[in-house]
Amino acid sequence: IGSGLVGSEMCIRDRVSTALFDFSITDVSLVESYPGIDIPDGECLVRMRLNIKNTSSQTYTMFLQDFQIQWGEGDSDYGTCLNAVDDTMMPYAYELTPGQERSDWLMAEIPDGSTSCTIAYQEYKTDGSKGDAYFVEAAL
């Protein structure tokens, strides 16, 4: 997705409706520490809850990296969420069946001093081309 904001921009707690599922981001905060995660110098840890519901009639395999974290205007000011270190965090991959809802914590390292972040999701069409992009902004 990169760091350029193009597409639908929403705010924290807004429900975002894609072609396959609805999602929202809630409870965004910076945390000092988290068991099993070492935070590098110059970085801080942002924690947020991803609430997702399959609104289609098919089962999909979802991945942790489907959602990107962005924190600045630069071409390299983005990353993906950290792999789960416990069962409250979003797993690397999971099945989302029709009508299924789930809610998991996402964790990401972002630079110290960041005052906001954006959670981004990029749709891809069956032919591999890009569809719509969705952005949820959160103040820290």
Side-chain angles (χ1 to χ4, degrees), residues 3-140:
S3 61
L5 295 179
V6 177
S8 301
E9 292 185 38
M10 308 297 270
C11 294
I12 191 81
R13 295 192 181 276
D14 286 345
R15 186 184 80 216
V16 177
S17 295
T18 74
L20 306 177
F21 58 86
D22 291 349
F23 76 94
S24 65
I25 303 292
T26 59
D27 305 315
V28 178
S29 64
L30 293 174
V31 293
E32 299 269 331
S33 63
Y34 195 85
I37 297 176
D38 293 322
I39 305 168
D41 288 341
E43 301 285 312
C44 58
L45 190 63
V46 63
R47 178 179 70 176
M48 66 202 82
R49 184 166 292 283
L50 172 65
N51 310 291
I52 190 167
K53 179 180 181 179
N54 184 341
T55 56
S56 77
S57 60
Q58 295 187 10
T59 297
Y60 293 99
T61 301
M62 300 291 295
F63 296 93
L64 181 64
Q65 287 82 12
D66 288 339
F67 294 89
Q68 183 184 84
I69 308 301
Q70 304 171 349
W71 55 81
E73 299 296 321
D75 288 343
S76 61
D77 292 343
Y78 66 93
T80 56
C81 295
L82 300 174
N83 289 329
V85 295
D86 61 30
D87 61 2
T88 67
M89 291 176 64
M90 176 74 62
Y92 175 77
Y94 56 96
E95 296 292 312
L96 199 59
T97 59
Q100 181 183 4
E101 295 181 58
R102 65 179 297 144
S103 181
D104 299 287
W105 289 109
L106 299 175
M107 305 277 187
E109 293 170 355
I110 62 174
D112 276 338
S114 297
T115 58
S116 66
C117 66
T118 300
I119 298 83
Y121 173 75
Q122 174 70 61
E123 284 182 329
Y124 285 91
K125 299 177 183 179
T126 55
D127 67 2
S129 64
K130 287 184 179 182
D132 292 332
Y134 301 90
F135 304 90
V136 177
E137 296 182 10
L140 301 173

